[in-house]
Amino acid sequence: MKSDWALHRYVRRTLKAAVLIAGLGSQLVAGEVSFNRDVRPILSENCYQCHGPDAEERKADLRLDTEAGAKADLGGYHAVVSGDLSTSELVARILAEDHDELMPPPKSKKRLTSEQKETLQRWIEEGAKFEKHWAFEPVAKSVPPKVKDESWARNEIDHFILARQDAAGIAPSPQAPREVLIRRLYLDLIGLLPSPEEVHAFVHDKRPDAYDRLVTHLLSSVHHGERWGRHWLDQARYADSDGYTIDRPRTQWPYRDWVVRAINADMPFDQFTIEQLAGDLLPNPTHDQLLATGFHRNSLINGEGGTDNEQFRNEAVVDRVNTTGAVWLGLTVGCAQCHTHKFDPITHHEYFQMFAFFNSDEDVNNVGPNLLTPEPTSADVARLKEIDKEIKTLRAKSKGSSIAKNEQLKEEDWKIMRPVRSRAESGALLELQPDGSLLASGTLVKEDEYLLRIRIETDAVSSVRIEAIPDESLPSGGPGRAANGNFVLTEVEISKPDGTKYDWLDAGAADYSQPGHEVSRAIDGDPLTGWAINTKQKGNVARWAAFSLTEPVIADEQGAVDLRLKFWHKARPYTLGRFRVSMSEKPLPGGSPEDQKRQKQLKALLAEKDQIEGKGTKMMIMRELDEPRETHVHVRGDFLRKGDRVGPGTLEVLHEFETESGHPNRLDLAQWLVNHANPLTPRVVVNRVWQKYFGRGIVETENDFGTQGTPPTHPELLDWLARRFVEEGWSMKKLHRLIVSSATYRQASSARPDLQEIDPRNLLLARQERLRVEAEIVRDLALSASGKLTEKIGGPPVFPPQPDGVYAFTQRKKNWETSEGDDRFRRTIYTFFYRSAPHPMLTTFDTPRFNATCTQRIRSNTPLQSLMVANDAGLYELAQSLGTRVIQELPEGSNQVRLERMFQICLCRTPEHQELEFLMKFLEKQRQEADELNAWTATARVLMNLDEFITRE
């Protein structure tokens, strides 16, 4: 028997439902309500945050994203009762007049419309049928529908598109003019302009397969890999620098070149995936397969002083999980880092099961495996292994060597050096004292580096001494800045101002070294070891350490040297507080002849290693640890708060994860992602390709296929494309050919007033879209038009002209030496990309900084873009070249002929009479005010600054 409270609720709910049912009738739309199409969007937007997958945040123990949860007994009442409005608490709550009862609650700022309320009630009345979210269902085997006008369709895509248009009572647009088609194909497939001769040939080619021949030609072009490689590099968050405020340059361009080669070769997308996520785990991986793993070494690296390596290692792993989820699954997996996903069936535990796949890689912040590229010869590989073994043996023998403290240089042999410049990487203040020492104050961090520029004041320098000096301003009297007055000097380096390092003898000297922190550890090349002086006695005293160079630095040759003192401690700041540097012309006494011999051998081996490795470039790659790390759930996403231990695993909502190994790894994950049973990867991939050709995907929220995303406009077409993509061997070029060969793609993009009311956003694709090209292609079109384009493929990044002052507000001034010769005019995919300060043209045209994956660039429209095209020094130079080009190509031509040629070069069509008349008058005016070249340059700037020039029609 119901309690009085329950009876009261029952009566109130029954009366309210009866009133509503009486008022339904004609307001309901004909046809059965669909949970996925009609109901889920309402619940996801308004209810799932409090009544969704996240158990920790769930209110009233009610879950509305599953049938079992929505229909569960909640202590005498049910939120949803199939077919019964009067006993469904959901109905009572959405219709409540009492603010305390109303759902969604008023404080949420969400309110259901009358239509949404009617939809929910009709759904319950019809039986409250639940459906799995469409994106998690297997890819359906759809059949192209019949259409009224079979003659319009060129392939199956057109049947799906035309069927929706037929239902809406609209017709497709006519085919675009052939001049537009060839320019569209060139821009979409290779990102360059066709020449006027190529346009003329295509326009007048009457063969029935002329269009197909053009598509074949462009898909075979080496420039196709550059065009579509740039799209992939966006998702790979590729850049040429580390990021954060230090933003040091990095060498990762061989990965970029691998992407271009793989796309040109039409590497099947499943293999493309496996090699990037786990090429190092394949049996006997090739050099290229190792290169491919650079995909996940594109994450940010923090080079600032005082960073915690474990923190930033975890941040890199988080980035890899989130990137993998976004790129291949099209899901906001990162939302589950701190708690179970609010809207999608991705639990907090599952997130860290994905995390476990990437948690056992070798890299720690900026330390990790590298690959020498191009691939060294087998002889070089064998010799490098021998050298590493010999170096290890020599260092082991000299590890215990040191110079006895009673065999030291006399004080008069040392000269105190006052640095002409000094700074701390952390920003700490290094203040020069009367005795020539430096006193540190201000910023205090766990990792720091002091840089001292020292003018050599002796004939030569053979030895360097560092004195650690107590000071009453320091903790416990110093000389260090740790609480106990200690410090850990992890590395001492001396180099030329240009960065060329000098070598130390492994033997060093000190008047005292803390056990386990011997002075030799300050020059052993290991950032995790160092010299320290704590004696566990009250108070501290002055200490010194001295080091000899393998060869003296000659003053006449160098003039100055840079001395770097590096500090790191895993727990707390352990930097020097007060210290002084002295130098001597004499080497330190002591050290056995064997030590000296070993040093010469070591130096020779290191030089030989540098010589071999100097034949190529080192690039960061992925490599698994021999023993995997333990992975724990991070409570609230905090890597310091460890929860349950978890192993590698995937998302339960998708297909089953299979592995034959005892410990699943990245290779298993990659194979799971491209398993034929995975419904997401093929859908996501074909949707992103479609997006590039039509401005939006079939699923507009291409980065969110979850319940918060938009449903597909053409779900049957999406599944047909996804299934065909897999069945045809994951071939990207076949997918490109299929789309660009369709009548849908070939339509004119002209605006149509008849579509404004029926389909104002062109979701039914009754016309093509006009799309402003991306930043890189803006410049590439100018390069193409100018005739200056360097067509070389691949290689190190280049530095085209950019304005002065770009780095005025960055923490470190960047070195941008403008390229000359052919490198000055290379495609923009090869422009060096600093994350903290990209080339201004790229920023102006919406290129992201690639701190995270970018699956779709925004397209803004600002006055600054027009100013950039008109006035940027690099683009002005290309406009000047375009002017020179038409003069040189038509030395005997009239101004009208030259103008027509320039117009055709830029816009791939013949100018209309009014356009030509304007340009003639403009040119004549310029010729009256400037010389011939400047007049043509000004005219070229007009054409290159047209919206039509940087727009794909």
Side-chain angles (χ1 to χ4, degrees), residues 625-640:
L625 291 169
D626 293 334
E627 291 293 327
R629 294 185 180 94
E630 283 190 5
T631 298
H632 293 261
V633 170
H634 296 172
V635 179
R636 292 293 175 185
D638 183 351
F639 80 102
L640 296 175

Side-chain angles (χ1 to χ4, degrees), residues 271-331:
Q271 188 67 19
F272 187 69
T273 295
I274 289 169
E275 293 193 8
Q276 289 183 90
L277 293 181
D280 58 310
L281 299 175
L282 292 169
N284 302 312
T286 66
H287 188 266
D288 261 15
Q289 287 169 339
L290 294 174
L291 271 183
T293 66
F295 176 88
H296 269 322
R297 292 306 306 276
N298 288 319
S299 51
L300 275 64
I301 292 173
N302 195 336
E304 298 174 29
T307 58
D308 184 326
N309 279 336
E310 181 61 11
Q311 174 190 347
F312 286 96
R313 186 191 71 79
N314 274 276
E315 290 198 9
V317 177
V318 164
D319 170 74
R320 288 163 189 164
V321 176
N322 298 349
T323 298
T324 302
V327 170
W328 278 276
L329 300 176
L331 295 176

Side-chain angles (χ1 to χ4, degrees), residues 749-770:
S749 61
S750 305
R752 288 173 48 182
D754 63 309
L755 298 178
Q756 284 304 107
E757 286 191 17
I758 301 174
D759 186 20
R761 297 189 62 222
N762 194 32
L763 298 178
L764 300 182
L765 294 174
R767 60 179 177 84
Q768 248 291 6
E769 292 281 357
R770 295 180 78 252

Side-chain angles (χ1 to χ4, degrees), residues 625-828:
L625 291 169
D626 293 334
E627 291 293 327
R629 294 185 180 94
E630 283 190 5
T631 298
H632 293 261
V633 170
H634 296 172
V635 179
R636 292 293 175 185
D638 183 351
F639 80 102
L640 296 175
R641 298 174 62 192
K642 293 184 177 180
D644 297 340
R645 183 177 177 180
V646 295
T650 54
L651 308 183
E652 187 177 343
V653 70
L654 296 176
H655 57 293
E656 187 176 351
F657 176 68
E658 298 177 352
T659 177
E660 296 179 0
S661 64
H663 185 84
N665 56 29
R666 283 180 281 111
L667 181 57
D668 298 298
L669 173 65
Q671 291 169 337
W672 177 80
L673 287 171
V674 293
N675 188 294
H676 287 203
N678 185 351
L680 282 176
T681 297
R683 281 177 175 144
V684 168
V685 174
V686 300
N687 188 65
R688 290 214 177 104
V689 173
W690 186 272
Q691 167 187 278
K692 298 296 188 294
Y693 288 119
F694 297 99
R696 69 173 64 85
I698 298 172
V699 177
E700 189 168 2
T701 53
E702 48 72 42
N703 63 341
D704 189 359
F705 274 52
T707 60
Q708 288 288 96
T710 57
T713 56
H714 299 76
E716 295 83 7
L717 171 60
L718 179 64
D719 277 12
W720 184 86
L721 286 169
R723 178 175 285 271
R724 177 161 174 160
F725 178 50
V726 175
E727 289 176 349
E728 291 196 335
W730 300 83
S731 168
M732 294 294 287
K733 286 192 177 182
K734 287 182 180 178
L735 179 61
H736 290 304
R737 180 184 295 278
L738 180 68
I739 294 174
V740 302
S741 297
S742 68
T744 305
Y745 174 82
R746 300 191 208 189
Q747 293 177 102
S749 61
S750 305
R752 288 173 48 182
D754 63 309
L755 298 178
Q756 284 304 107
E757 286 191 17
I758 301 174
D759 186 20
R761 297 189 62 222
N762 194 32
L763 298 178
L764 300 182
L765 294 174
R767 60 179 177 84
Q768 248 291 6
E769 292 281 357
R770 295 180 78 252
L771 303 172
R772 208 245 5 255
V773 297
E774 300 92 336
E776 292 86 348
I777 308 304
V778 170
R779 179 171 175 269
D780 288 354
L781 295 184
L783 282 167
S784 188
S786 72
K788 301 291 287 185
L789 174 68
T790 301
E791 297 195 7
K792 176 185 173 185
I793 306 295
V798 294
F799 302 85
Q802 71 173 9
D804 295 332
V806 171
Y807 306 121
F809 301 100
T810 58
Q811 180 168 321
R812 278 191 167 189
K813 187 175 181 180
K814 316 298 184 191
N815 182 26
W816 190 276
E817 294 185 8
T818 303
S819 299
E820 298 297 339
D822 289 346
D823 281 352
R824 189 183 187 92
F825 304 109
R826 298 202 60 202
R827 288 198 71 166
T828 316

Side-chain angles (χ1 to χ4, degrees), residues 503-577:
D503 295 325
W504 300 112
L505 287 172
D506 273 1
D511 63 340
Y512 176 79
S513 294
Q514 180 179 327
H517 292 77
E518 290 77 17
V519 67
S520 60
R521 298 194 174 194
I523 53 172
D524 63 358
D526 186 344
L528 306 181
T529 65
W531 175 54
I533 63 164
N534 187 263
T535 60
K536 296 184 179 179
Q537 296 174 350
K538 207 169 185 180
N540 287 289
V541 297
R543 297 293 184 191
W544 59 259
F547 311 95
S548 275
L549 291 153
T550 55
E551 292 182 2
V553 177
I554 308 301
D556 290 344
E557 294 180 0
Q558 306 305 329
V561 293
D562 286 341
L563 188 69
R564 284 180 169 81
L565 308 182
K566 298 184 179 183
F567 307 92
W568 179 80
H569 192 276
K570 60 185 177 182
R572 293 176 297 279
Y574 269 73
T575 57
L576 260 173

